Amino acid sequence: MTYTAKYPEPYYRDMLGLPVLMLEHEAPEQFSLLLQQGFFMPVPRICSLREFLCELVGVCGVYTEKSLQTIFLDGSAVDDIDQAMIRPGCRLALSAAMPGLVGATMRRDGFLKRMREGISLSSRREEGSDIQQDASFRIQVRLYNAVGRDLAGLFLHHGIMVSSPDLAEFFKSRPDSFFRHLRSIRFQGTSLPVQQSGLDFSCLPQGDVVLRLAMELENRKQQSQL
Amino acid sequence: MDKILRINVGAPGGPKATEEPIGDYAGMGGRGMTTSVVYKEVPPDCHPLGPENKLVIAPGLMSGSAASSSGRMSVGCKSPLSGTIKESNAGGTGAQALARLGYAAVILEGERQGDDLYKVVINDQGVTLEKANDLKMLANYDLIEKLKPVHGEKVSVISIGTAGEMRMSNSSIAVTDPEFRPTRHCGRGGVGAVMGSKGIKCIVVDASGAKTRKPVRPDEFKESNKKFVEGLKGHAVTGQGLPAYGTNVLTNILNEAGGYPTYNFREGRYKHAQNLSGELQAENMKNREGGQPTHGCHRGCIIQCSGIYTDKDGNYMSKQPEYETVWSHGGNCGIDDLDAIARLDYLDDHYGLDTIEMGVTIGVAMEAGVIEFGDAEGAINLVHEVGKGTPLGRILGAGAATTARCFGMEHAPVVKGQALPAYDPRSVKGIGVTYATSTQGADHTAGYAVTANILKVGGDVDPLQTGGQAELSRNLQIATAALDSTGFCLFVAFAILDQGETFEAMVQTINHMYGLDMTGDDVVALGQKILKMEKEFNEKAGFGPAHDRLPRYFSREPLAPHNVVFDVPDKELDSVYNF
């Protein structure tokens, strides 16, 4: 099932003050290998996983219930996204339904969940559940398999925080077809050449940057599908 | 499928083939057939490589028909690796070819006379046996190249590589795929050694003169098979996930769960797992010339979880390595190079080795200091040593348990002598129960079919109840034993788990093929019957509750990152066979 809802406004315009690399790319799903490696997202407050997905990112409804079949929070399998809490520094992984007995075992609230009860979130002690967190914080997110493909556009539209070396390595490993879909690339408002050989990331700082996709192209495509 | 072919390799004057009606084995296919024959005809206390053991090759009940994804072929015997009864199955084209020619089983039996090696040729005209000493010590890909000018590329070949000829406890039986490559393997348990002990190098099956098997109720069969196909295509796993990424899509998930055995089961998460992921593997195959991420291992498969893996220059490297292969040679050995793993996969297929057993054995050898963790070239060289039968190769080719014994190590991740697959039982304890109690030795597919909740095997199970790992494992093992008999790929289980109408369509497809009115209860009864035969065989072979255990260190050494141990009580393990 492909995610087809119209993209909402990015929930965080200022990504913790980091420099922004803005791309226009016609095929956001081609970023899915970057998304499986892990990236960071800002979160304004401690909230449930459902609130994070639906209210902040915009992943709601049928897609959440039918397609997000395998979820891990800090390595623990999640069954109830209302109970799972997004806290500072946590690691969230989202995946589609998986094959094999273990795939079925890991499935959200699946029939075989007892087989992995030792690593289920519900069986593990929630540490620091009473911590109050007023300041925003960041979490690590990994999007796997079909979920990475489906939600690439949405997450990139909001903007993801990645390290400059990882980003440079990702672009370096892209095939030519990736660059045929790249319409423009700007860093802090300054245009960079779009040819692969011409991509020069020497202007990027050594730390993290925000990668964001301008979604005018994508929103137009989605509107034509609806 | 109403006849059985017996090849007596000890007959005076050379091996002799005889055909007989299916008789008492009627209604059995795949694992049901192999287990029934071994249970009835093989003395449980015999030596696996001795004359009393038999090798049984059986297509599934639905193989050779137009039923989708029904090309699994089972091989059974007493295992040289585990000493237990063994059933090992593979896809490829062999099951369909044998079934279309009417064979419900091919049984290799008797005592080999002399050192001559034989080739069996089966077609619609009958069976011929030829001396084939020119094929001696040919590895599988070389063997296929040598057979091609003689038999063409339309036949199916069931063969052993050099490991099987050397009767190594880790040796497989290869089956050719639609491209006539020896890529599909009955891998587990050393079945290739039993074929080697009978002096049979290969079985060439030419079904070009045979037609697809006709159902008893053709119109109804067509209708139910159509619904079955629609169910497979419409399901997220069988219709989307597996065709797009193959089974290796599991790498990221098991790693995330902290259940990805790393460095010979020392850790549960591999820091370079992203370099081994199914997502990256699929992209490699998509972007490289000649690569194919979506491919069926036999004609008529709807799921198409297989693939063709090429190098950066477009040269064929191997079939798409399965999740278990990528893990065993990858994270388990600290190797994060998919191309190196594809090379190891190719060599395993070439020499005729089980990829799980070989990878785990290399992991044990790495911990022993033979080579360093992460040494891909060293791992490749070790597989060559096995394939060539050097003294070190002979040790490694005997499997992980023997290798650990030779190097004086406790850390041998095995049950009943067979290496654990790619899921750490400390994280996924229900899998650990199956590893410990399976009649086959540590086997992830023994409890693979997830149909238990539909079949209601052994009664309803409350998913909210805590504990009960044994109960779930029992139900899964029963359901799997039944599914292994049909010839349907185990992956159909995911669609029939979620979609009751797809399960119904599958049962009706079987019913219309044979003119039966089978119900879910009959399926359960078949699974129970198979497991009871296997359990009884093992008990007579000397296996008891003490063998239904994981190695002690899984209960003693916590696994990072969750720091969990395997703590399912022995009493619960012993209750698995209470049915």
Side-chain angles (χ1 to χ4, degrees):
Chain A
M1 180 184 296
T2 304
Y3 188 82
T4 55
K6 191 168 183 247
Y7 294 130
E9 281 297 304
Y11 69 87
Y12 241 99
R13 279 286 170 197
D14 175 18
M15 301 281 271
L16 308 181
L18 291 173
V20 178
L21 189 69
M22 178 74 84
L23 307 182
E24 273 191 302
H25 195 280
E26 293 174 329
E29 68 276 8
Q30 292 188 7
F31 287 81
S32 55
L33 281 184
L34 181 68
L35 303 180
Q36 71 150 1
Q37 291 176 26
F39 55 89
F40 291 93
M41 295 283 285
V43 180
R45 63 184 182 280
I46 291 173
C47 60
S48 72
L49 176 53
R50 186 185 295 281
E51 288 172 318
F52 171 74
L53 289 172
C54 187
E55 293 178 16
L56 294 178
V57 182
V59 182
C60 299
V62 176
Y63 192 89
T64 311
E65 301 310 317
K66 298 283 185 189
S67 296
L68 293 183
Q69 287 290 315
T70 314
I71 300 177
F72 293 95
L73 190 59
D74 290 331
S76 294
V78 173
D79 293 303
D80 184 343
I81 63 172
D82 291 306
Q83 294 291 319
M85 299 302 290
I86 298 296
R87 301 178 191 285
C90 71
R91 169 173 165 160
L92 173 68
L94 306 175
S95 160
M98 288 291 98
L101 175 58
V102 173
T105 300
M106 296 300 173
R107 192 183 293 189
R108 260 174 75 193
D109 210 22
F111 182 80
L112 299 173
K113 66 182 180 184
R114 254 190 299 157
M115 296 181 76
R116 43 81 173 164
E117 62 186 3
I119 60 163
S120 297
L121 190 68
S122 56
S123 70
R124 302 180 79 80
R125 195 168 66 89
E126 284 271 9
E127 291 178 2
S129 56
D130 55 348
I131 289 177
Q132 293 297 313
Q133 180 82 21
D134 295 327
S136 58
F137 54 89
R138 65 186 209 169
I139 65 169
Q140 190 183 48
V141 181
R142 290 165 190 252
L143 304 181
Y144 293 138
N145 47 71
V147 170
R149 182 196 62 202
D150 295 344
L151 300 184
L154 184 59
F155 276 84
L156 287 165
H157 163 66
H158 285 291
I160 64 171
M161 295 182 275
V162 288
S163 79
S164 295
D166 285 353
L167 195 57
E169 189 59 36
F170 171 74
F171 280 110
K172 196 176 154 192
S173 68
R174 294 304 83 207
D176 292 344
S177 56
F178 176 89
F179 295 93
R180 285 198 287 274
H181 295 285
L182 183 58
R183 290 285 166 261
S184 71
I185 180 165
R186 280 173 291 148
F187 180 63
Q188 296 291 73
T190 305
S191 289
L192 300 175
V194 296
Q195 287 79 16
Q196 182 180 16
S197 56
L199 285 183
D200 179 7
F201 288 109
S202 59
C203 58
L204 298 186
Q206 276 303 302
D208 289 349
V209 296
V210 173
L211 174 66
R212 185 172 267 162
L213 252 59
M215 298 313 293
E216 288 77 12
L217 290 168
E218 192 63 18
N219 267 338
R220 278 203 298 274
K221 193 166 79 180
Q222 300 229 356
Q223 278 175 336
S224 70
Q225 287 174 349
L226 291 173
Chain B
M1 276 201 342
D2 56 0
K3 59 187 176 182
I4 289 175
L5 173 64
R6 288 182 186 270
I7 297 174
N8 177 5
V9 301
K16 186 181 173 189
T18 54
E19 287 184 5
E20 62 187 33
I22 191 168
D24 291 345
Y25 296 121
M28 287 296 183
R31 180 171 168 183
M33 174 65 81
T34 63
T35 290
S36 296
V37 173
V38 174
Y39 173 78
K40 193 173 175 186
E41 301 186 16
V42 174
D45 61 352
C46 73
H47 193 285
L49 303 180
E52 297 87 359
N53 200 6
K54 300 189 181 195
L55 187 81
V56 186
I57 301 169
L61 286 168
M62 301 301 288
S63 299
S65 75
S68 174
S69 307
S70 62
R72 300 298 289 191
M73 186 188 85
S74 292
V75 168
C77 59
K78 179 172 177 174
S79 164
L81 186 74
S82 64
T84 64
I85 198 167
K86 173 56 61 182
E87 186 269 352
S88 185
N89 63 62
T93 60
Q96 290 175 322
L98 282 173
R100 280 162 55 195
L101 288 167
Y103 293 103
V106 176
I107 303 173
L108 308 184
E109 57 192 4
E111 183 169 16
R112 179 186 188 183
Q113 305 293 314
D115 291 330
D116 286 329
L117 202 58
Y118 285 85
K119 172 175 78 173
V120 182
V121 180
I122 305 174
N123 57 33
D124 61 346
Q125 301 300 306
V127 182
T128 56
L129 290 120
E130 302 167 18
K131 267 188 197 171
N133 290 324
D134 59 325
L135 305 179
K136 270 188 179 175
M137 290 304 282
L138 281 184
N140 279 313
Y141 276 91
D142 296 338
L143 170 72
I144 293 304
E145 282 306 307
K146 189 143 187 171
L147 294 176
K148 209 179 276 183
V150 182
H151 299 283
E153 297 183 32
K154 304 284 187 195
V155 299
S156 301
V157 176
I158 300 163
S159 65
I160 55 173
T162 56
E165 279 194 65
M166 291 186 280
R167 299 175 298 285
M168 289 177 171
S169 293
N170 172 17
S171 55
S172 63
I173 293 177
V175 186
T176 48
D177 64 17
E179 286 75 33
F180 202 49
R181 291 173 174 142
T183 60
R184 321 314 304 186
H185 286 246
C186 299
R188 309 240 65 196
V191 292
V194 179
M195 190 161 162
S197 76
K198 302 299 180 192
I200 303 295
K201 177 69 176 176
C202 60
I203 301 171
V204 179
V205 189
D206 180 358
S208 56
K211 292 183 177 171
T212 301
R213 292 171 61 208
K214 298 288 180 208
V216 172
R217 300 193 286 251
D219 292 340
E220 293 92 334
F221 174 90
K222 194 174 171 185
E223 187 58 31
S224 57
N225 189 41
K226 186 180 166 195
K227 287 180 184 165
F228 182 52
V229 169
E230 286 169 356
L232 294 178
K233 281 184 172 174
H235 190 267
V237 173
T238 52
Q240 297 166 36
L242 282 170
Y245 303 108
T247 57
N248 192 28
V249 70
L250 282 168
T251 291
N252 276 328
I253 302 306
L254 265 295
N255 197 56
E256 199 65 41
Y260 187 75
T262 303
Y263 303 124
N264 192 29
F265 288 78
R266 290 286 189 177
E267 298 170 22
R269 197 175 268 169
Y270 181 46
K271 64 181 174 184
H272 301 302
Q274 67 201 33
N275 298 337
L276 300 174
S277 71
E279 290 88 331
L280 178 60
Q281 192 178 39
E283 185 176 285
N284 282 351
M285 288 188 289
K286 199 173 165 187
N287 291 333
R288 292 176 178 181
E289 190 182 339
Q292 202 175 323
T294 304
H295 170 269
C297 76
H298 64 272
R299 293 176 194 93
C301 179
I302 294 296
I303 301 173
Q304 305 220 357
C305 69
S306 178
I308 295 174
Y309 196 90
T310 54
D311 66 16
K312 286 172 182 164
D313 299 320
N315 301 306
Y316 174 79
M317 288 196 77
S318 193
K319 93 276 193 185
Q320 167 186 290
E322 302 275 355
Y323 165 64
E324 279 78 14
T325 305
V326 175
W327 158 76
S328 71
H329 288 303
N332 187 55
C333 293
I335 295 170
D336 70 342
D337 179 347
L338 279 173
D339 286 0
I341 290 165
R343 178 67 181 154
L344 286 159
D345 183 64
Y346 174 90
L347 291 173
D348 289 339
D349 288 351
H350 193 44
Y351 294 126
L353 297 161
D354 174 32
T355 59
I356 296 174
E357 193 70 41
M358 194 66 249
V360 172
T361 301
I362 293 172
V364 168
M366 286 174 160
E367 185 165 331
V370 177
I371 57 174
E372 295 289 319
F373 279 109
D375 182 357
E377 278 307 308
I380 288 168
N381 288 336
L382 289 184
V383 179
H384 280 306
E385 297 237 18
V386 176
K388 290 170 183 171
T390 65
L392 175 60
R394 291 278 185 166
I395 292 170
L396 302 175
T402 298
T403 300
R405 201 174 295 124
C406 290
F407 286 95
M409 296 166 58
E410 184 199 5
H411 279 95
V414 301
V415 174
K416 300 184 184 81
Q418 182 167 284
L420 266 59
Y423 319 92
D424 198 296
R426 288 165 285 195
S427 286
V428 196
K429 292 174 190 174
I431 298 279
V433 174
T434 301
Y435 286 170
T437 62
S438 161
T439 54
Q440 309 285 323
D443 189 338
H444 63 296
T445 65
Y448 216 62
V450 285
T451 54
N453 58 331
I454 292 176
L455 294 173
K456 302 289 189 288
V457 187
D460 287 314
V461 175
D462 177 4
L464 299 177
Q465 184 189 330
T466 57
Q469 310 274 7
E471 200 174 9
L472 277 171
S473 179
R474 176 196 310 134
N475 297 348
L476 291 164
Q477 291 191 50
I478 290 169
T480 304
L483 194 61
D484 277 345
S485 302
T486 63
F488 284 122
C489 177
L490 279 174
F491 288 151
V492 307
F494 309 112
I496 61 182
L497 165 74
D498 291 334
Q499 301 161 179
E501 69 277 13
T502 308
F503 173 69
E504 179 63 19
M506 185 192 78
V507 174
Q508 289 308 320
T509 304
I510 299 170
N511 280 339
H512 297 318
M513 182 73 200
Y514 283 91
L516 301 172
D517 292 302
M518 195 169 59
T519 65
D521 289 344
D522 298 316
V523 177
V524 172
L526 173 64
Q528 288 180 335
K529 182 179 175 183
I530 293 167
L531 278 188
K532 282 180 177 173
M533 284 191 284
E534 292 174 350
K535 183 74 173 169
E536 189 181 328
F537 183 95
N538 287 351
E539 285 170 355
K540 288 178 179 172
F543 288 87
H547 298 95
D548 287 346
R549 301 286 183 266
L550 294 181
R552 283 277 178 190
Y553 67 87
F554 284 102
S555 303
R556 194 177 64 233
E557 298 177 4
L559 180 76
H562 292 297
N563 294 319
V564 285
V565 295
F566 185 75
D567 55 3
V568 177
D570 289 351
K571 192 177 168 187
E572 193 170 341
L573 295 177
D574 294 338
S575 72
V576 166
Y577 284 88
N578 291 343
F579 61 85

